Amino acid sequence: DGAPMNLMFSPSVNGYDMGARVLDWIDQEEEFIFITVFSLNVFSDKASQRDLLSSLKKAADRGVEIWIMTDREQSDGPSG
C-alpha cells in the first residue's frame, strides 16, 4: 500500500548504535512491527535504559500489531 518500511542488518558498519536506532523505530511505530532477531535479549540502548522487550510491550499497549521471528534456542534462555 506504499507504506514506508525501516530495514536494518547487523552488525552496523556505519558506527551508529543499532540498538538505539531499532528502539527509536519501535517507540515511534503506530501500526505494525515485524522484527526478526536471534535473541530477544540482544537489543538495548544503554544511554536511555531501554530494551527490546520493554519497547515492544509499550508498542503493544499502544495498539501496535507485533510479529516476532526469533531463534528458538536463543529465545528460550538468556542471551550470551
Side-chain angles (χ1 to χ4, degrees):
D1 66 11
M5 177 187 305
N6 293 308
L7 179 67
M8 182 180 294
F9 293 95
S10 67
S12 169
V13 295
N14 296 330
Y16 54 78
D17 183 344
M18 188 181 72
R21 174 84 46 102
V22 169
L23 296 176
D24 287 345
W25 287 340
I26 291 169
D27 291 345
Q28 296 167 7
E29 184 55 49
E30 298 174 357
E31 296 178 33
F32 182 79
I33 295 170
F34 178 81
I35 187 168
T36 61
V37 293
F38 283 108
S39 172
L40 294 172
N41 299 316
V42 76
F43 288 101
S44 65
D45 178 10
K46 292 174 181 41
S48 69
Q49 302 296 311
R50 295 180 299 168
D51 63 75
L52 179 62
L53 292 176
S54 296
S55 291
L56 289 171
K57 168 91 170 77
K58 288 178 185 175
D61 290 345
R62 292 192 308 272
V64 176
E65 181 178 354
I66 300 172
W67 289 29
I68 302 170
M69 183 184 311
T70 189
D71 180 290
R72 181 181 178 114
E73 290 179 18
Q74 289 290 325
S75 66
D76 286 344
S79 177

